[in-house]
Amino acid sequence: MSSTYGGGRLSRDDYRKQQELEAARKAGTAPAEVDEDGNEINPHIPTFMSQAPWYISTGKTGLQHQRKWQKEQPTMIGDTKWYKRGERLGAAPTKFRKDACDNCGAQSHRTKDCMERPRKKGARWTGKDMQADEAIDKIDLSYDAKRDMWNGYDGREHRRLMQEWDLVEEARRKRKASELDDARAKAKEKEGTAPTTIEDQLGSSDEDDDAGPDDTAASGKSKSTVRNLRIREDTAKYLRNLDPESAFYDPKTRSMRENPYAGKKADEDSATTQPAYYAGDNFIRYSSEVQEIRKREVFAWEAGERGNNSAHFQANPTQTALMYGEFVDKRDTIKSSRQQALVEQYGGQEHLEAPAPELMRPEERYVEYSRTGQVVAGDAQPAARSRYREDMRRLNHTAVFGSWWNDGNWGYACCKQTMKNAYCTGAT
């Protein structure tokens, strides 16, 4: 009987000796096998792992076939070697060469791959303005390097771009400052003259004030777009309260109708956390003259239902405002006349009058207390007293009943007696 091991055929005795040697190595009585690099091989590794396949077997013992035998290519090639973009090889040719581009005359690419501007007659027929060959480098990249979107990126390009933007921003600021100086000088010249037009009396519109010199020449649509943009220095509405259960922010209309600080206490140190700083878009709708305008609109609706078609909030806003003012005056007059009639009939005029200001004025008294509650400085506030007599001791006692405890009974601390009606005979 014979067997094979490591690609060779073994006899029965050799196979038995091989098995005994493997058993001795596993038991630790024989030294472990060493590979070509001088590393010991663990004898407990199975044969199907330690034996190399036939197509990569070198005939030597070892675990090299289990390691990564192909070297990994670098995923990023630095400044030492990269594609030479825009570089040319030598000088431009003087005549057309075979297998060259018909458009520019370079041999590094074909006509369909030419990046030059298409000529009416190419260099093949004119023989003029020949271009030199481009430098083409062949760089072998790994699988990850080919798919790396930042492979070959040079950070110096971004730095140059930022420097250009800084120069443009500085020039824009200087121009804006000069325009403001000119506007102030013109305003000082016009201080002595009275306004002659309606625009001078009312001032410029918000759109003209917000728009810059470039935006002034734009159309009305572009002006509205500029006005809808949020000032970059202002805090965004969705950043005021990061709690997901707080007020809802609509990104489409950029509105937050509810108060983002609802349920939070105002912080005196930070103005951004105070509810009075920003209370939502609905707070603006219910403030100033918005409620008055809504009342006028409701008045116009009710008047139209009663048959008065002259009151219309959109068509006749001025007439509707005047009619609403007359309605409010009549309503207040009727209300006051009814109240006066009730007072004349039943009385109680003194309850409708406000108290004197002297009675409502707060009292200013400075009192300073210690940690134990005693008055340190100022006048102490007198303790509230009931209608019953206080601080009275019965039957010659100097302490109240219940000020002493002994064996489950209450008594007087002055004479140690437990009977409530007992006469005090002094300290015992």
Side-chain angles (χ1 to χ4, degrees):
M1 182 179 180
S2 61
S3 177
T4 60
Y5 182 80
R9 194 174 185 84
L10 300 178
S11 62
R12 179 179 299 177
D13 296 337
D14 294 338
Y15 179 74
R16 180 176 53 80
K17 293 178 181 180
Q18 186 71 30
Q19 294 295 328
E20 292 177 355
L21 179 60
E22 290 181 359
R25 286 174 178 172
K26 293 181 180 180
T29 57
E33 191 176 5
V34 181
D35 59 1
E36 58 182 357
D37 294 336
N39 301 323
E40 294 183 356
I41 302 176
N42 191 350
H44 298 281
I45 297 178
T47 305
F48 72 90
M49 293 180 61
S50 61
Q51 189 174 2
W54 61 270
Y55 50 87
I56 59 173
S57 178
T58 59
K60 297 180 181 180
T61 305
L63 296 175
Q64 293 295 335
H65 62 280
Q66 294 289 348
R67 297 183 177 90
K68 199 169 185 180
W69 57 275
Q70 192 175 15
K71 293 184 178 180
E72 180 70 21
Q73 296 292 337
T75 58
M76 176 63 188
I77 297 178
D79 299 336
T80 58
K81 188 177 180 182
W82 192 241
Y83 295 106
K84 299 177 181 179
R85 299 174 181 174
E87 293 188 9
R88 299 283 180 173
L89 298 176
T94 58
K95 61 180 182 179
F96 186 78
R97 296 167 295 178
K98 187 180 180 179
D99 297 334
C101 177
D102 297 342
N103 186 43
C104 65
Q107 286 185 333
S108 57
H109 60 269
R110 297 295 181 182
T111 305
K112 62 179 181 179
D113 300 329
C114 184
M115 300 301 294
E116 296 286 337
R117 180 181 59 84
R119 305 178 187 179
K120 187 175 183 180
K121 287 186 178 182
R124 177 179 180 180
W125 295 276
T126 60
K128 299 179 180 179
D129 194 13
M130 294 285 185
Q131 299 294 329
D133 299 340
E134 295 94 343
I136 300 177
D137 296 334
K138 184 177 180 181
I139 300 178
D140 295 332
L141 300 177
S142 63
Y143 180 87
D144 296 332
K146 291 180 180 179
R147 291 156 180 79
D148 186 7
M149 61 180 299
W150 294 102
N151 192 7
Y153 173 75
D154 189 4
R156 293 173 294 185
E157 297 180 1
H158 179 70
R159 191 179 298 109
R160 288 193 295 267
L161 180 63
M162 294 303 297
Q163 291 176 358
E164 293 178 3
W165 276 101
D166 292 340
L167 294 176
V168 173
E169 185 68 17
E170 185 66 23
R172 188 190 67 80
R173 291 178 182 176
K174 291 181 180 180
R175 186 185 66 177
K176 188 67 176 179
S178 62
E179 291 177 355
L180 290 176
D181 295 339
D182 297 341
R184 291 173 183 172
K186 292 180 181 179
K188 290 182 179 179
E189 294 177 359
K190 293 182 180 181
E191 283 181 357
T193 60
T196 56
T197 62
I198 298 177
E199 294 180 357
D200 295 337
Q201 296 176 1
L202 299 179
S204 61
S205 62
D206 295 338
E207 296 180 356
D208 297 338
D209 293 338
D210 295 339
D214 298 336
D215 299 332
T216 306
S219 61
K221 184 177 180 181
S222 62
K223 286 184 179 180
S224 62
T225 304
V226 172
R227 290 193 61 193
N228 289 336
L229 294 178
R230 175 178 59 83
I231 302 175
R232 299 296 100 182
E233 288 78 4
D234 294 347
T235 304
K237 297 178 182 179
Y238 54 82
L239 294 178
R240 295 187 178 275
N241 192 351
L242 300 180
D243 186 6
E245 301 298 333
S246 62
F248 172 73
Y249 174 75
D250 188 4
K252 186 175 182 180
T253 59
R254 297 178 183 176
S255 60
M256 181 179 288
R257 298 174 180 83
E258 299 179 0
N259 184 9
Y261 302 110
K264 285 191 174 183
K265 295 183 179 179
D267 190 0
E268 298 179 356
D269 298 335
S270 178
T272 58
T273 58
Q274 291 184 1
Y277 183 77
Y278 179 77
D281 296 340
N282 287 340
F283 178 78
I284 302 176
R285 297 179 180 178
Y286 294 102
S287 61
S288 65
E289 299 179 357
V290 178
Q291 292 294 327
E292 191 70 20
I293 294 175
R294 290 187 176 181
K295 291 180 181 179
R296 295 178 187 176
E297 188 174 6
V298 173
F299 169 75
W301 294 344
E302 294 178 352
E305 292 177 356
R306 297 189 185 98
N308 188 0
N309 297 326
S310 60
H312 197 280
F313 184 73
Q314 285 80 16
N316 298 323
T318 306
Q319 184 177 0
T320 304
L322 294 175
M323 295 175 63
Y324 178 73
E326 296 177 359
F327 167 74
V328 172
D329 294 341
K330 292 181 180 179
R331 183 188 61 186
D332 296 342
T333 303
I334 295 174
K335 184 177 180 180
S336 60
S337 62
R338 290 180 179 177
Q339 183 177 358
Q340 187 65 25
L342 292 174
V343 170
E344 292 177 356
Q345 183 175 0
Y346 299 103
Q349 182 65 29
E350 64 278 4
H351 301 290
L352 300 177
E353 297 178 356
E358 292 79 6
L359 300 178
M360 303 300 294
R361 184 179 303 171
E363 185 179 6
E364 297 180 358
R365 292 189 307 108
Y366 176 77
V367 181
E368 186 176 350
Y369 297 91
S370 63
R371 293 185 177 180
T372 58
Q374 298 178 355
V375 178
V376 178
D379 297 334
Q381 186 177 2
R385 304 179 70 89
S386 64
R387 61 180 178 177
Y388 301 100
R389 299 179 62 184
E390 298 180 2
D391 299 333
M392 298 296 296
R393 303 291 185 266
R394 298 174 60 251
L395 303 176
N396 199 27
H397 289 286
T398 58
V400 296
F401 182 79
S403 58
W404 182 67
W405 169 266
N406 185 21
D407 297 336
N409 297 320
W410 294 102
Y412 294 96
C414 55
C415 59
K416 306 297 188 295
Q417 297 190 43
T418 57
M419 296 181 61
K420 189 174 183 179
N421 295 329
Y423 186 83
C424 182
T425 58
T428 59

